[in-house]
Amino acid sequence: VPAFGYWLAEPRFLADSLTLSASAVSSQWFIYSQVKEFGALVFAATMNVRQVVSILVSYMKYHHPITVLQVFGLLAVFAALFCKSYLGMQQQTEKGEQQPLVSEKEEAGKAGTATADYRAADKA
C-alpha cells in the first residue's frame, strides 16, 4: 500500500496527521458544547472574535504590511458582524425562552405512535 510506504519514509507525517486529527475532534467537541450550552448566537460571536484575532496574528507573524484602507475595511466588516451578534443576543434575552416547537406530550405521543406502527408492520 503506497500510503503506508510514505508513512514509513516520513515518520513526521504520522505525528502531524495525528495532531491535525486530534485538533479537529477537540474543536468539534468544543463547538458542539458551546452551541448546546449557550446557543448559536454566542457561537457566531465567538467565531467573529476568532476571525479578527486570526487576521491580526497573521499580519504580525508574517510581517505583512497593512494599509489604512484595510484597517477601515476590517473595522467596518467586523463591527457589522459584532453588531448583528449583539443585537441578536439582546433580542433573545428580551424575549425570554421561546415555546418549544414540539411539546413534551406531542413528543411522547409520537414515540408511542411510532412503536405502535412498528408493531403493526411486524404483524403484517
Side-chain angles (χ1 to χ4, degrees):
V1 176
F4 289 119
Y6 181 77
W7 172 58
L8 292 173
E10 301 289 336
R12 183 78 180 133
F13 174 72
L14 177 63
D16 290 343
S17 58
L18 288 175
T19 302
L20 180 64
S21 297
S23 298
V25 168
S26 62
S27 65
Q28 287 299 313
W29 183 82
F30 283 113
I31 288 170
Y32 175 77
S33 298
Q34 185 179 27
V35 170
K36 181 180 176 187
E37 198 67 31
F38 301 105
L41 287 172
V42 172
F43 173 69
T46 303
M47 289 296 101
N48 291 339
V49 171
R50 185 193 66 81
Q51 285 285 68
V52 170
V53 170
S54 176
I55 290 169
L56 295 177
V57 167
S58 175
Y59 276 115
M60 289 186 289
K61 181 175 180 168
Y62 298 108
H63 306 289
H64 291 281
I66 185 167
T67 66
V68 174
L69 192 56
Q70 287 172 323
V71 170
F72 284 128
L74 284 171
L75 288 174
V77 168
F78 289 109
L81 290 173
F82 285 125
C83 183
K84 182 178 177 182
S85 295
Y86 177 76
L87 291 175
M89 285 188 282
Q90 289 298 331
Q91 288 175 351
Q92 188 178 32
T93 306
E94 290 172 4
K95 288 181 182 178
E97 188 172 343
Q98 299 290 321
Q99 290 284 4
L101 294 175
V102 178
S103 70
E104 289 181 22
K105 287 182 181 180
E106 289 177 15
E107 188 69 30
K110 287 181 183 178
T113 304
T115 305
D117 291 342
Y118 288 127
R119 288 182 186 150
D122 287 340
K123 291 179 182 178

